[in-house]
Amino acid sequence: MNAIGINAGDKQAHATALPLASLVRRSAVTTYTAGTEIYVPGALADNFYEVEYGAVRLHRLLTDGRRQVVAFYLAGETFGFEADRRHTLFAEAIVATGVRTISPGTGEMSAHHVLKLALQAVQRAQEHLTVVGRQTAVERIAGFLVDMAERQGNLEHFDLPMSRLDIADYLGITIETVSRVFAKLRNSRLITLKTVRSVKINNMEALASLCA
Amino acid sequence: MNAIGINAGDKQAHATALPLASLVRRSAVTTYTAGTEIYVPGALADNFYEVEYGAVRLHRLLTDGRRQVVAFYLAGETFGFEADRRHTLFAEAIVATGVRTISPGTGEMSAHHVLKLALQAVQRAQEHLTVVGRQTAVERIAGFLVDMAERQGNLEHFDLPMSRLDIADYLGITIETVSRVFAKLRNSRLITLKTVRSVKINNMEALASLCA
DNA sequence: CGGGTGTTTGACGTCTGTCAAAAAGCGTGG
DNA sequence: CCACGCTTTTTGACAGACGTCAAACACCCG
């Protein structure tokens, strides 16, 4: 089943997506199955990538084996920027995912748009930081859900492509706490879980108010 | 060099400071006393800023009055990038600070360097995220101290320009916990505090190993 | 219908937030 | 130079939230 597949070909990208089509050289879409690597730390950072469908996770492995998920990218969003010539993070498809590889041109036009995407990445990271900096798990999960809803077109019903473990590593908490907070939000009728990964937000205002 | 092709001709891949001198129009240095605002949310983001001396804090106010410190900028570092036309954060001088206002030109050269600085900001934010995502307060403080030491030239002895409250809001913990962790690190001889803000790292390796 | 993975729930200990008070800095003024 | 008052920092006591360990449960795939 995989509710995730429903995003394939979905054009309603929006918010953060930029129309890159006419600005850069575009190659064909590469498909990745769930859990496969798109790039690894140390790999040459010579392209960037636009998610056609599915979802991608950027993460870093800590020395003790823990993982910090740095970002998620959904359909229409672009990733792969690096300050250096080599990647410092892992990029992995979370579910079956189509990714368009983009070779940045050298022209001025392209640089401007890369800059704009980079600035969006800064803003995204700062917002992530604000969510993770919060003190309680409820605030973090609520912030995460609100963000996911916004990025999927402000739908009240959407599917989470990522596992509880991904969410935990993204928010800096454990999967047990993630699970308990979901249960708490469900019990208080703020959300409904049709399946584990299918979220319906019943009261967006109340949920948003939990984000402090 | 780098992925996006913006590094042409730039040799020093080092983290923070970039030689902006010959690339953009530079204006005089503005001085700010401790605690004064450089810009506020909503202000037009038409410049960026290089710290000449002192230190700057970027932060955001949450609705419940808490503060998330998004970044610190030390001498030689540049800040002020925004994805939109207007700022979304507060920028404040932490101590007596000199700031050089930089008006980005419209030429290609300038855009390239703005991009590089933006990409550094992304990397910086991702590292901050990794520190804040850690689970224990000791790990966060250790990571913070190691970062500060590196940014001040890998000196084992340096001064913290920011207060305990700034550190707490930067790391997503309380000032009491910051204080307790400093005491713990001092008692275990990993650091020495000549004054409250003067830190000497006695065992950099051990401290770094606490960062997981 | 099994087996494996992912998720939920429970029990318990610890870390950290909260509240409170004491101590230490620091600038001002006598 | 010392005294004073304010702010910042430290320390203590306590409670609550979350991590850890463990087991049960749900779900997916063959």
Side-chain angles (χ1 to χ4, degrees), chain A residues 23-176:
Chain A
L23 304 164
V24 289
R25 207 160 61 242
R26 309 192 71 157
S27 72
V29 170
T30 309
T31 61
Y32 297 88
T33 59
T36 51
E37 289 167 347
I38 299 170
Y39 57 74
V40 297
L44 268 177
D46 42 11
N47 291 303
F48 50 105
Y49 307 91
E50 184 176 1
V51 179
E52 290 287 316
Y53 60 90
V56 171
R57 168 187 69 219
L58 259 49
H59 71 268
R60 156 180 297 158
L61 288 180
L62 308 184
T63 56
D64 65 349
R66 271 179 301 173
R67 232 178 32 159
Q68 175 64 45
V69 173
V70 170
F72 294 117
Y73 289 92
L74 308 181
E77 302 177 344
T78 304
F79 66 95
F81 313 99
E82 294 287 343
D84 268 318
R85 56 192 297 241
R86 292 183 180 277
H87 288 295
T88 59
L89 301 169
F90 290 90
E92 287 185 17
I94 300 178
V95 293
T97 299
V99 172
R100 187 181 297 277
T101 302
I102 299 175
S103 306
T106 50
E108 179 184 353
M109 201 60 172
S110 175
H112 276 137
H113 283 79
V114 173
L115 173 58
K116 180 146 194 191
L117 289 167
L119 290 174
Q120 287 176 359
V122 174
Q123 182 145 329
R124 187 64 67 75
Q126 289 175 348
E127 280 161 18
H128 184 188
L129 206 47
T130 304
V131 173
V132 176
R134 296 193 212 288
Q135 285 168 347
T136 77
V138 171
E139 288 168 340
R140 297 188 198 188
I141 298 274
F144 170 73
L145 288 175
V146 169
D147 180 47
M148 289 305 291
E150 284 174 358
R151 285 163 67 179
Q152 311 215 6
N154 268 309
L155 301 171
E156 77 281 358
H157 186 291
F158 57 90
D159 287 319
L160 295 171
M162 68 290 287
S163 69
R164 297 290 189 260
L165 182 57
D166 285 329
I167 299 173
D169 290 344
Y170 181 77
L171 296 177
I173 54 184
T174 62
I175 104 179
E176 291 94 334

Side-chain angles (χ1 to χ4, degrees), chain B residues 15 32 51 112 139 188:
Chain B
Y32 297 88
V51 179
H112 277 141
E139 288 169 339
S188 52

